[in-house]
């Protein structure tokens, strides 16, 4: 329990005299003493009760409080029965050592406080909660969910004073009691959990973030899609949920640890329900994908899309646009082996893509109800519907040009910003935790297509997303994505240039400049990049580099002399541009 709970119980008759900022300290026991030095009987975390019999004069308070603070006690409660008001020297000493101090009303016996604290922190209370959790588990497994995981998390808060949250592997909050967990904190905790799981450390995992300690419990998927325990951990690490508890479980008794394990099993039942609800969407995506890949007639594909639209976009009477997202998780098996040959990455990529496509600002287990993801081989393929852009009617008095645009169904705002998903934005909030889970032997690559408006464009969108994923795979990093817009430029070509050709091409053009820069600190590479970025404008480039134009001309001349190229020629400019991009 926390110190704060003592003040919230009127029957205890406690009054806070100092240490308001320390009320979140955890109380692990209680001790009554009037010894001048009780340190030999303290182990830390106690609420110390004293009648002040140890105090003969004002000089005694500071040493007594210093001993308590050094022993790590949670707080001090002093009785008013002997001296009346609590001495000011004791209040001052507690403030100096940041030790919370309570005054105990003379009408309240120390035994009353002791009984209350012992009851709160004893295994009996954990046993009472375990019985409640067991009843709730039976209710959930025999019928509709009895309130979901929030109910049992509320019980943890009310009965054991534990704040807890259920998080996805990317750190998105799925359930919680009380205030929501900030998104960045959730991602950090998920990263800690994934990294610890990859190293094989035994759960619960301990994580200290911004001065607060959390214990992280895995929530194993026990449903039909679960991975057998004997399989490689990499097949489940990126898809399992976790329970984050704001407490240090390293010194918990076995009974309390068993209780938290029971809570994770209960939440796993809820997850199995959620996965079962996704079955329809997954089947729709699989059917559409098979039609597209087998070259079915557009009319047949359109018919399946008409079936999918009401499921994925309930209540909308407009035909959506569609985007395709392709993801793949690749593992290096050097030095490791899965129980049954190669690691099955397709299902992992499917569950992970379903999570990535959820808006990180949305919480709850059913927030992915507009996402249909199938998997084929090692790829996961998402069919993402986008509501059609509806143009608002022109206001009276608008010009004929605006009215004509409205009649054509073209919305200016829609044209200004490209609709739908964007590759970089998808991974912005999940890159940190997923990189921890992938460790040094895994990679996630993802490609996003442009939005298409009909069944005829769906096959092209699938190929576009696959090409974009291959572009992402050619980049360094554990988590990479590429979008369709990158397929219309040199970015599409560069990743597929053989490594030996890359090295030879860049060495021929750039090595003379790098050698010269090392010897003379001339910054020729930096000058070349700025000159090309300014489209060969002498004045703009000189201003950017804070150089005189004549100095810039001298540097460009030196570049041309060292490389035998002419930066006034388009061909040579293009060669330098590509060499810099490939280096």
């Amino acid at each position: 329990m926390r110190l704060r709970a003592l003040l919230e119980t009127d029957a205890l008759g406690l009054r806070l005299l100092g240490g308001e900022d320390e009320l979140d300290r955890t109380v692990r026991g209680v001790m009554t003493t009037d010894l001048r030095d009780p340190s030999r009987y303290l182990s830390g975390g106690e609420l110390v009760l004293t009648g002040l019999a140890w105090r003969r004069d004002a000089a005694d308070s500071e040493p007594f409080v210093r001993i308590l603070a050094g022993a790590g006690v949670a707080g001090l409660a002093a009785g008013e029965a002997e001296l009346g008001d609590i001495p000011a020297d004791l209040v001052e000493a507690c403030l100096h050592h940041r030790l919370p101090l309570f005054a105990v009303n003379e009408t309240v016996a120390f035994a009353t406080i002791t009984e209350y604290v012992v009851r709160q922190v004893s295994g009996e209370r954990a046993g009472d909660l375990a019985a409640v959790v067991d009843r709730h588990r039976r209710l959930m497994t025999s019928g509709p969910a009895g309130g979901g995981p929030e109910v049992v998390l509320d019980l943890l808060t009310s009965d054991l004073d534990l704040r807890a949250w259920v998080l996805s592997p990317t750190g998105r909050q799925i359930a919680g009691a009380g205030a929501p967990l900030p998104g960045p904190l959730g991602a950090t905790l998920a990263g800690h959990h994934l990294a610890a799981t990859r190293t094989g450390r035994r759960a619960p995992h301990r994580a200290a973030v911004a001065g607060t300690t959390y214990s992280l419990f895995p929530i194993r998927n026990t449903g039909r899609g679960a991975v057998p325990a004997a399989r490689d951990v990499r097949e489940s690490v990126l898809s399992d949920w976790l329970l984050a508890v704001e407490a240090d479980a390293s010194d918990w008794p076995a009974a309390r640890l068993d209780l938290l394990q029971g809570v994770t099993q209960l939440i796993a039942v809820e997850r199995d329900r959620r996965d079962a609800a996704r079955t329809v969407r997954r089947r729709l995506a699989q059917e559409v994908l098979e039609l597209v890949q087998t070259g079915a007639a557009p009319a047949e594909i359109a018919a399946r899309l008409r079936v999918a639209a009401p499921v994925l976009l309930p209540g909308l009477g407009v035909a959506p646009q569609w985007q395709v997202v392709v993801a793949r998780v690749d593992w290096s098996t050097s030095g490791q082996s899965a129980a049954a040959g190669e690691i099955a990455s397709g299902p992992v990529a499917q569950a992970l893509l379903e999570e990535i496509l959820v808006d990180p600002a949305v919480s709850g287990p059913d927030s992915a109800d507009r996402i249909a993801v199938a998997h084929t081989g090692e790829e996961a393929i998402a069919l993402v519907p986008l509501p059609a852009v509806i143009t608002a009617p022109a206001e009276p008095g608008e010009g004929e040009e605006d009215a004509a645009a409205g009649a054509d169904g073209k919305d200016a705002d829609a044209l200004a910003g490209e609709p739908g998903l964007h590759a970089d934005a998808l991974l912005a909030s999940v890159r940190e935790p997923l990189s921890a889970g992938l460790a040094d032997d895994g990679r996630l690559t993802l490609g996003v297509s442009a939005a298409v408006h009909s069944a005829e464009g769906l096959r092209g969108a699938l190929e576009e997303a696959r090409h974009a994923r291959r572009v992402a795979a050619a980049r360094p990093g554990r988590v990479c994505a590429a979008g369709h817009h990158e397929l219309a430029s040199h970015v599409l070509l560069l990743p597929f240039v053989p490594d030996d050709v890359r090295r030879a091409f860049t060495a021929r053009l750039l090595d003379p400049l790098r050698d010269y820069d090392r010897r003379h600190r001339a910054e020729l590479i930096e000058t070349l990049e700025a000159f090309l970025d300014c489209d060969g404008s002498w004045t703009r480039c000189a201003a950017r580099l804070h150089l005189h134009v004549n100095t810039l001309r001298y540097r460009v001349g030196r570049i041309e002399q060292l490389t035998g190229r002419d930066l006034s020629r388009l061909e040579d400019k293009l060669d330098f541009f590509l060499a810099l991009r490939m280096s």
Side-chain angles (χ1 to χ4, degrees):
M1 65 173 296
R2 297 178 190 277
L3 282 174
R4 191 180 304 279
L6 298 172
L7 288 176
E8 297 170 351
T9 306
D10 295 336
L12 299 182
L14 295 178
R15 189 173 77 257
L16 183 66
L17 300 180
E20 184 176 0
D21 294 340
E22 305 293 330
L23 290 180
D24 283 329
R25 291 187 182 185
T26 300
V27 179
R28 296 188 174 89
V30 63
M31 176 192 178
T32 300
T33 185
D34 278 313
L35 296 174
R36 297 170 66 89
D37 181 3
S39 58
R40 69 176 72 104
Y41 304 111
L42 297 172
S43 58
E46 297 92 345
L47 173 67
V48 175
L49 306 176
T50 181
L52 300 178
W54 49 267
R55 182 183 179 278
R56 297 184 178 88
D57 55 45
D60 292 336
S61 292
E62 207 285 333
F64 179 79
V65 173
R66 184 174 67 250
I67 290 170
L68 297 186
V73 304
L76 174 65
E80 296 179 323
E82 186 70 23
L83 300 179
D85 292 339
I86 304 303
D89 49 90
L90 181 59
V91 176
E92 182 178 351
C94 287
L95 288 174
H96 176 71
H97 290 281
R98 301 180 64 84
L99 182 67
L101 175 63
F102 302 87
V104 183
N105 190 281
E106 61 181 349
T107 62
V108 179
F110 282 179
T112 301
I113 300 174
T114 300
E115 180 183 356
Y116 176 85
V117 173
V118 170
R119 188 171 66 250
Q120 291 297 314
V121 301
S122 70
E124 292 180 4
R125 291 301 291 166
D128 292 343
L129 180 56
V132 174
V133 170
D134 186 60
R135 290 196 300 272
H136 193 66
R137 180 190 295 113
R138 291 198 297 270
L139 173 65
M140 293 181 68
T141 55
S142 61
E150 284 84 0
V151 172
V152 74
L153 297 184
D154 285 337
L155 289 172
L156 287 177
T157 301
S158 61
D159 283 43
L160 291 183
D161 197 25
L162 294 175
R163 299 176 65 205
W165 302 266
V166 178
L167 304 178
S168 77
T170 65
R172 181 178 62 87
Q173 180 174 320
I174 294 167
L181 202 64
L185 176 55
T188 300
L189 292 178
H192 277 287
H193 173 73
L194 292 173
T197 301
R198 286 302 315 276
T199 59
R201 282 162 45 196
R202 186 176 179 181
H205 309 306
R206 184 179 182 274
V209 182
T212 302
T213 300
Y214 299 86
S215 296
L216 311 175
F217 296 79
I219 300 173
R220 306 296 185 192
N221 186 359
T222 58
R224 286 163 292 182
V227 176
R231 295 293 297 252
D232 195 302
V233 68
R234 291 174 291 181
E235 291 190 323
S236 61
V237 66
L238 295 178
S239 56
D240 284 342
W241 288 356
L242 68 136
L243 177 68
V245 181
E246 188 181 320
D248 187 350
S250 59
D251 57 352
W252 281 4
R256 181 168 287 203
L257 288 173
D258 289 343
L259 168 63
L260 267 293
Q261 295 297 341
V263 170
T264 64
Q265 293 169 12
L266 176 60
I267 297 170
V269 173
E270 183 69 11
R271 175 171 187 174
D272 189 32
R273 281 216 170 95
R274 186 213 58 162
D275 287 343
R278 284 186 171 180
T279 301
V280 173
R281 298 193 297 275
R282 287 175 171 176
R283 187 171 64 247
L284 285 171
Q286 197 74 42
E287 291 174 355
V288 173
L289 176 62
E290 290 174 359
L291 290 173
V292 171
Q293 293 193 129
T294 56
E300 187 177 358
I301 299 175
R304 297 308 302 161
L305 291 178
R306 283 195 294 272
V307 172
V311 176
L312 301 179
L313 290 174
L316 293 181
V318 293
Q321 305 171 63
W322 301 91
Q323 263 182 299
V324 176
V325 182
V326 174
R328 179 174 174 133
V329 176
D330 292 294
W331 300 101
S332 168
T333 55
S334 58
Q336 305 184 52
S337 61
E342 293 186 0
I343 299 170
S345 298
V348 175
Q350 181 183 41
L352 192 55
L353 186 53
E354 286 172 334
E355 172 60 31
I356 289 172
L357 291 174
V358 178
D359 183 346
V362 177
S363 62
D366 299 321
S367 56
D369 59 357
R370 293 186 178 182
I371 298 165
V373 183
H375 74 84
T376 173
E378 300 303 304
E379 283 184 338
I381 301 171
L383 189 65
V384 183
L386 306 172
V389 177
I390 303 175
T391 304
E395 294 292 335
E398 288 185 343
E400 293 182 1
E401 183 178 345
D402 292 337
D408 290 338
K410 296 178 181 178
D411 183 78
D413 292 335
L415 294 176
E418 190 177 343
L421 305 171
H422 298 272
D424 292 336
L426 282 176
L427 299 181
S429 62
V430 303
R431 182 171 276 106
E432 175 191 349
L434 294 185
S435 295
L438 293 163
D440 58 355
D441 59 350
R443 292 199 73 207
L444 167 67
T445 52
L446 183 145
V448 181
S449 79
V452 295
H453 303 266
S454 64
E456 289 86 346
L458 209 54
R459 183 177 180 83
L462 175 59
E463 291 305 314
E464 193 172 55
R466 281 175 167 162
H467 279 305
R469 193 206 64 78
R470 285 193 285 270
V471 170
R475 295 173 175 167
R478 291 291 163 197
V479 181
C480 298
H484 61 91
H485 60 281
E486 299 181 65
L487 305 184
S489 73
H490 65 281
V491 178
L492 175 62
L493 301 176
L494 294 185
F496 305 105
V497 176
D499 288 343
D500 55 343
V501 176
R502 280 170 174 256
R503 287 191 293 268
F505 184 76
T506 57
R508 185 168 62 251
L509 283 174
L510 301 183
D511 279 2
L513 306 183
R514 290 174 177 145
D515 292 342
Y516 191 87
D517 282 346
R518 277 194 296 270
R519 294 196 308 269
H520 304 284
R521 298 182 181 179
E523 299 180 347
L524 295 185
I525 292 289
E526 179 185 352
T527 301
L528 176 61
E529 289 177 332
F531 186 72
L532 295 175
D533 195 43
C534 292
D535 298 323
S537 169
W538 296 98
T539 54
R540 283 195 290 126
C541 183
R544 173 181 293 191
L545 296 174
H546 306 290
L547 299 174
H548 191 278
V549 172
N550 288 341
T551 303
L552 176 61
R553 291 185 184 278
Y554 171 80
R555 287 189 182 181
V556 170
R558 178 64 67 183
I559 292 171
E560 293 174 334
Q561 179 186 9
L562 291 170
T563 61
R565 298 299 184 106
D566 182 355
L567 278 169
S568 66
R569 298 177 68 247
L570 176 61
E571 294 87 346
D572 288 341
K573 286 181 182 176
L574 180 58
D575 282 349
F576 278 122
F577 175 81
L578 294 175
L580 289 168
R581 291 300 182 271
M582 287 192 292
S583 62

